[in-house]
Amino acid sequence: MSVKAMAVDTFEAHAFSVDVATKCGVNAAIVFNHIHFWVKANQSKKKNFHDGKFWMYQSITEMSEHFPYLTSKFVKAITTKQNTTEQPGMP
């Protein structure tokens, strides 16, 4: 199967901020975009608001399954880093 046919038949896109990717790497930018998407979705629905912030709830395992090209170890490392430092382009 050609790459073009595969993209059409099994299309699921993962997006990222070029600015974040430049500063943190493409894989980290993909994870940050995913988190950002769900935080904004929860904000618009007024869901998962705790301690003055909107949150998204997804386990490391669930995120790793969503991104089959990333390891659980990577997702854990990048989300732990996200919790302890401010990242560009993130709320």
Side-chain angles (χ1 to χ4, degrees), residues 3 8-9 16-17 21 25 29 32 36 39 41 43 51 53 55 58 67 70 72-76 86:
V3 173
V8 171
D9 291 343
F16 59 91
S17 159
F32 293 158
H36 182 74
V39 168
Q43 185 177 19
D51 299 325
K53 298 178 183 178
W55 298 78
Q58 193 172 35
F67 303 110
L70 301 178
S72 299
K73 185 176 179 179
F74 177 83
V75 173
K76 183 176 182 177
E86 289 293 320

Side-chain angles (χ1 to χ4, degrees), residues 3-70:
V3 173
K4 183 178 178 182
M6 191 168 61
V8 171
D9 291 343
T10 60
F11 186 74
E12 180 180 349
H14 292 165
F16 59 91
S17 159
V18 173
D19 185 47
V20 176
T22 300
K23 294 173 180 154
C24 304
V26 171
N27 289 342
I30 291 168
V31 173
F32 293 158
N33 187 68
H34 180 73
I35 293 167
H36 182 74
F37 170 85
W38 283 109
V39 168
K40 289 297 185 185
N42 287 333
Q43 185 177 19
S44 71
K45 295 176 186 177
K46 298 185 180 0
K47 290 176 59 177
N48 298 327
F49 184 76
H50 304 284
D51 299 325
K53 298 178 183 178
F54 288 94
W55 298 78
M56 61 91 68
Y57 293 96
Q58 193 172 35
S59 71
I60 299 298
T61 300
E62 290 169 331
M63 287 181 75
S64 297
E65 290 169 356
H66 185 73
F67 303 110
Y69 47 87
L70 301 178

